[in-house]
Amino acid sequence: MPTKGVGRLQSRPLRVVVIGGGTGLSVLLRGLKHEPVHITAIVTVADDGGSSGRLREEMDMLPPGDIRNVLTALADTEPLMEKVMQYRFSTGTGLAGHNLGNLLLAAMNEITGDFVTAVKTLSGVLAVRGDVLPASTQSIQLKAEMTDGSLVIGESQIPLTGKEIKRVFLDPEDAVPLSEALMAIADADAILIGPGSLYTSILPNLLVRGLFEAITRAQAPKIYICNVMTQPGETDGFSASRHVNVMYDHVDRPFLDTIIVNSAELPTHVLDKYTEKGAAPVRCDLKQLRQLGLNVVAKPLVTFEDGYLRHDAHAVSKQVVSLVKRRRKVLKIEKE
């Protein structure tokens, strides 16, 4: 007969923490919000480009762009409201280039006096399914040391140099994570890393030391969702295992249990478009991944939308939920 603790484990909804930033994270969340799970999205705050960079500098606030994308992805609202959140002004002195959702977060930040409260307030307005948290409430700048010894400052500048990245690091290096993010990680049934830009969306979260320490302490499986395509200026020529090794090199230890990687053959006409931009499919090097001790889930997990390859959010989400349910079942059997 199950213990009371196991009974509670079986009855509560699955709690999934998703860590990252950028377009990839938002795409995944659009699928995951339709699964029977409670989601906590922990989002990078290293962005310094475009509207986010301007608001960060002019209003001394955390960059809102990645947070806005996640709020919109998790929102249970009419399609028109999503268009409002994502609307970007093309004209107007001071307005051109700004995104309306970013301005709403900036206004909420001023009204409430606190960025986390601003995000929670806007989450309520948008009927967001889950919790959205910044990785830290400190102003963080991402820097990169290139293999030629040069230093590049700023998340938006790193992919533009045309140089190979040796390592990225945060300034300040001792950035403090949000306590609510640490609690969500400790209570998670699964911790998802990615998908997203390796150096500029994923690593800025893992380099928040207290956040990564919480990830390593957590009992939940750590699942990395690998990008479908390489990113020019960041991961040129990278295989799936090299993505993993770069993370391990930055945090000085292995920490992943599972990798989800696309195995679908991609149409030539689609690949040609990406080749023109300097991108290529991330190679699923199964042997190397297994040598790293990873459980490898290699399946066709892509779709083609608006001229771009994307993760099939529903297919990936179902894989994640299946993995977590299997693990919960094993825990139940072990404790009976």
Side-chain angles (χ1 to χ4, degrees):
M1 180 175 292
T3 65
K4 290 182 180 179
V6 174
R8 287 195 297 270
L9 179 69
Q10 294 299 314
S11 61
R12 76 168 193 177
L14 295 172
R15 306 184 72 84
V16 177
V17 170
V18 189
I19 300 173
T23 304
L25 178 61
S26 299
V27 168
L28 172 65
L29 292 174
R30 288 181 188 278
L32 198 59
K33 74 177 180 181
H34 296 293
E35 297 296 326
V37 299
H38 179 276
I39 301 166
T40 300
I42 299 174
V43 188
T44 179
V45 289
D47 187 11
D48 65 352
S51 171
S52 286
R54 288 165 61 188
L55 290 170
R56 176 176 179 167
E57 183 176 346
E58 294 170 12
M59 300 188 68
D60 190 26
M61 63 178 287
L62 293 178
D66 282 344
I67 294 281
R68 179 204 79 237
N69 282 329
V70 168
L71 288 173
T72 305
L74 287 175
D76 186 12
T77 59
E78 296 297 322
L80 179 60
M81 191 59 191
E82 180 173 343
K83 290 182 180 179
V84 169
M85 283 292 291
Q86 300 288 37
Y87 179 76
R88 190 176 299 276
F89 293 93
S90 57
T91 59
T93 304
L95 274 178
H98 273 305
N99 181 287
L100 183 55
N102 288 355
L103 296 179
L104 284 173
L105 277 167
M108 288 289 191
N109 185 60
E110 292 253 307
I111 292 166
T112 63
D114 174 73
F115 188 77
V116 175
T117 304
V119 173
K120 290 180 179 179
T121 304
L122 194 53
S123 294
V125 172
L126 296 173
V128 164
R129 298 186 183 183
D131 300 312
V132 181
L133 304 171
S136 173
T137 56
Q138 288 178 257
S139 179
I140 293 172
Q141 190 172 52
L142 187 66
K143 299 182 178 180
E145 179 187 358
M146 317 309 279
T147 54
D148 66 356
S150 61
L151 182 68
V152 180
I153 299 174
E155 177 267 344
S156 61
Q157 298 303 307
I158 292 169
L160 304 179
T161 63
K163 298 178 180 179
E164 185 179 351
I165 301 167
K166 181 178 180 181
R167 69 181 183 108
V168 293
F169 57 98
L170 301 181
D171 184 8
E173 292 190 349
D174 59 351
V176 178
L178 194 69
S179 59
E180 289 175 71
L182 301 183
M183 288 188 287
I185 290 169
D187 199 35
D189 294 297
I191 299 169
L192 309 185
I193 312 291
S197 301
L198 177 61
Y199 288 101
T200 54
S201 290
I202 293 175
L203 281 170
N205 292 295
L206 300 180
L207 291 174
V208 177
R209 290 176 183 169
L211 195 71
F212 178 71
E213 289 168 1
I215 292 170
T216 59
R217 286 195 303 268
Q219 296 299 307
K222 292 84 178 176
I223 303 168
Y224 174 51
I225 303 172
C226 189
N227 287 359
V228 176
M229 303 296 290
T230 62
Q231 185 168 357
E234 283 202 40
T235 56
D236 301 279
F238 275 33
S239 64
S241 67
R242 189 168 177 190
H243 281 76
V244 173
N245 280 318
V246 165
M247 281 189 279
Y248 287 1
D249 289 344
H250 275 76
V251 298
D252 294 325
R253 73 186 84 166
F255 66 96
L256 296 170
D257 302 294
T258 298
I259 182 170
I260 297 177
V261 59
N262 174 59
S263 64
E265 292 290 331
L266 304 178
T268 302
H269 71 280
V270 174
L271 292 178
D272 288 344
K273 289 183 180 180
Y274 276 88
T275 300
E276 292 173 4
K277 299 176 183 179
V282 173
R283 183 167 51 86
C284 176
D285 48 348
L286 283 171
K287 181 179 178 181
Q288 287 78 7
L289 290 170
R290 287 171 177 152
Q291 286 175 346
L292 289 169
L294 293 170
N295 172 38
V296 182
V297 178
K299 294 190 175 182
L301 296 170
V302 292
T303 185
F304 189 63
E305 297 177 3
D306 302 322
Y308 293 94
L309 285 166
R310 304 285 190 205
H311 278 94
D312 185 328
H314 294 288
V316 174
S317 297
K318 289 187 182 303
Q319 285 295 319
V320 168
V321 171
S322 176
L323 286 168
V324 180
K325 283 183 175 179
R326 284 203 300 270
R327 181 176 183 272
R328 179 180 275 192
K329 187 175 181 180
V330 169
L331 289 175
K332 179 185 176 183
I333 293 170
E334 289 177 348
K335 292 187 177 184
E336 284 182 340

